[in-house]
Every structure is written in structure tokens, then in C-alpha cells.
Amino acid sequence: MTSEELAACMNTHPVVVRRTMGLLREAGLVRSARGHAGGWRISADLGKVTLRQLHAILGEPAIFAIGNRNETPDCLVEQAVNAALDDAFTRAEAVLLERFADITLADLAADFARRMAARREGHPHA
Amino acid sequence: MTSEELAACMNTHPVVVRRTMGLLREAGLVRSARGHAGGWRISADLGKVTLRQLHAILGEPAIFAIGNRNETPDCLVEQAVNAALDDAFTRAEAVLLERFADITLADLAADFARRMAARREGHPHA
DNA sequence: TTTCATGTAACTTCAATTATTACATAAAAC
DNA sequence: GTTTTATGTAATAATTGAAGTTACATGAAA
């Protein structure tokens, strides 16, 4: 598929697609070709790519919207709050990333297939 | 303490302090007084206020920085992705909020006291 | 050599949070 | 009672980070 087609699918801009897909290409998950008949093609075994890997490949974006205002404050109150929150966030992050490590693109593809089949047999507007 | 003093402590603006403290007042955790000798005063048992409660009082702000682009997409691929992520996020959120429910302001105060003592006896620049 | 597609830098928009201004209200000090 | 000090709150401005867009270079096939 071309960046343009992908962008249309995702309601975004082709350049945004290229930016993100570029990271996937560096990681070897997809290949790209220029010119006629160019575009993007999967080059990985979907069963071996986990959401955990994708998160890493995409730069480990921050998981939590809440964060410390200051990582190394002099203020002892702030230090105590940070310590408590860091502990809580670390545990929650571990749970999330373990879960991510357990989900492969093949799993998502299988779920998609299930939904597609369900839509075909009588739930056209699911 | 006045909003002005609190704002100085937190490197923010007095009005921001009032906005947030106002929510705590509605919840009965603090009282405020106007005029001379006015300001904010704690009116709750620190041992009975948990971070979980504070999170609720402050409007349950979003915990995760990553979220679904669209909660109810027609696209079946997006539906499959959302389902997988929702499951992972729900688990992680549960862990975080359980942890929050286990931490009281008294715990934070105790940790602060520990740090204060440590600073006094030979770690002045901790 | 024209067309189509990616590669990438630079810039613009957008949305959400935070900060600020402005002014009303209330309580104590004088 | 009038001045000072403080909160209450609406309205606006500034800031920030992500997303979107433009512009142009590069490369491959028709």
C-alpha cells in the first residue's frame, strides 16, 4: 500500500504515515519502495511481533499522562510524593508492558478475522 | 497558608492553587478563610485520605498518555487494536488505582519526616 | 523523460494545560 | 467605616507537544 492509501485509512496525512512507517522499516518490520508500484509491504512474521516491540520501536513514548513535575527536587515533600508515585507507576507500567509483550500482530489479525466473519453473517453494522 | 505562599512553594500561580484547592475544599479536605489571617487549613485526618481519593476528587484525570483515536470506530482493524489495548490498559489502571488506594497522606507525611531527619543528620544536600 | 512514490527538513495548526489578568466578595485591622 | 488582606471565579493569554502540511530532493518504473 502507498502512504496515501494508508493515510486515507487512518484519516491522517501521508507524511505522518511515512514518519511512523520509517521507524518500522528501520526495525525491519516493513519494506518500502519508491516509484511506480512502490509503497509499503510487511516483511516480518506477524506472530513474532509484539506490541511491546512496537512500543520500543516507536521510541517508548510516555505511557502515563500524569508525571512528576520535577525529577530531582530539593523539596522534601515533593521527594516523598515522587517516591510514592514512582513506585505505583512502576508497578502499573510493568503490568502493561507484560501484557503488551503477550500480544502479537497475529493475535490482532486473528481478532480482525473474527470480527470480519461476524460482520458478514448478520451483523453488518457492528 | 495563603494561596500566595503555596504558589511560591510549588512554583506556580496563586490562582492555580485556588482552583485546585477549591476542589479539595468541596471534598471537605481543607477549609479556606478570607481576609486577614485567611488562607488554607487542613481539615481531614491525613491517615484517612488516600491518593485514590485525591485522584477522584481532582476529577479522575486521564492516567494514560496513549489512548484510542476513536472509541467506536467502524474500522474492524481499529476495533481489534482498541480491544487489545483496552484490556491491557484496564489491567494496568487497576494495579495503579489499587496502589493509590493503599497510600495515605499520613504515609507521605511520615516519609517526609524520615527525609527531614536524614537531612538533619549529615545529609544536608540530599 | 515523464510519472509516481518515498525521504526528510521546515514550518504551521491544533488542542489542552497552565498561567495571568481583572474584578467581585468577605473578613479582620485600624 | 475605611483600608488592607485574602479568597472566588470568569475570561483571556501563553505555552507546550503532537499532528498536520508544505516544499523539494531522490529514486524507480513506465
Side-chain angles (χ1 to χ4, degrees):
Chain A
M1 290 179 77
T2 66
S3 302
E4 194 129 14
E5 289 166 335
L6 286 167
C9 287
M10 302 185 219
N11 295 307
T12 182
H13 197 281
V15 173
V16 176
V17 171
R18 285 189 202 114
R19 273 206 284 254
T20 304
M21 295 295 280
L23 295 172
L24 300 186
R25 183 188 48 224
E26 286 172 27
L29 301 191
V30 299
R31 273 172 300 177
S32 63
R34 304 186 189 207
H36 271 92
W40 302 90
R41 187 174 293 273
I42 294 171
S43 68
D45 177 348
L46 294 189
K48 291 195 174 137
V49 181
T50 67
L51 296 189
R52 177 76 190 82
Q53 282 175 262
L54 289 182
H55 179 252
I57 289 167
L58 298 179
E60 312 229 332
I63 287 171
F64 297 106
I66 313 171
N68 300 339
R69 284 176 79 94
N70 182 345
E71 286 305 325
T72 58
D74 286 339
C75 172
L76 294 181
V77 174
E78 197 172 354
Q79 283 181 22
V81 172
N82 282 359
L85 292 183
D86 285 348
D87 173 68
F89 283 128
T90 299
R91 292 176 192 231
E93 182 173 13
V95 168
L96 187 75
L97 292 183
E98 276 165 30
R99 205 66 208 102
F100 276 9
D102 218 50
I103 301 171
T104 68
L105 293 184
D107 294 331
L108 297 185
D111 190 26
F112 164 76
R114 263 191 299 280
R115 290 167 191 275
M116 191 63 139
R119 175 172 290 186
R120 277 215 201 83
E121 57 184 65
H123 303 287
H125 307 299
Chain B
M1 288 179 76
T2 65
S3 303
E4 193 129 11
E5 289 165 334
L6 286 167
C9 287
M10 303 185 218
N11 295 306
T12 183
H13 197 280
V15 174
V16 176
V17 171
R18 284 188 203 115
R19 273 205 285 256
T20 305
M21 295 295 281
L23 295 172
L24 301 187
R25 182 188 48 224
E26 285 172 27
L29 301 193
V30 299
R31 274 173 299 175
S32 63
R34 304 187 189 206
H36 272 93
W40 302 89
R41 188 174 293 276
I42 294 171
S43 68
D45 177 348
L46 295 188
K48 291 196 173 138
V49 181
T50 66
L51 296 189
R52 176 76 190 84
Q53 281 176 264
L54 289 182
H55 179 251
I57 290 168
L58 298 179
E60 311 229 332
I63 287 171
F64 297 106
I66 313 171
N68 300 339
R69 286 176 76 96
N70 183 344
E71 286 305 324
T72 57
D74 286 339
C75 170
L76 295 181
V77 173
E78 197 171 354
Q79 283 182 22
V81 171
N82 283 358
L85 292 183
D86 286 348
D87 173 67
F89 282 127
T90 299
R91 293 175 193 231
E93 182 173 13
V95 167
L96 188 74
L97 292 183
E98 277 166 29
R99 206 63 209 103
F100 276 8
D102 219 50
I103 301 171
T104 68
L105 293 184
D107 295 330
L108 296 186
D111 189 25
F112 164 76
R114 264 192 298 280
R115 290 169 190 272
M116 192 62 140
R119 175 172 288 186
R120 279 215 200 82
E121 56 184 66
H123 303 286
H125 306 300

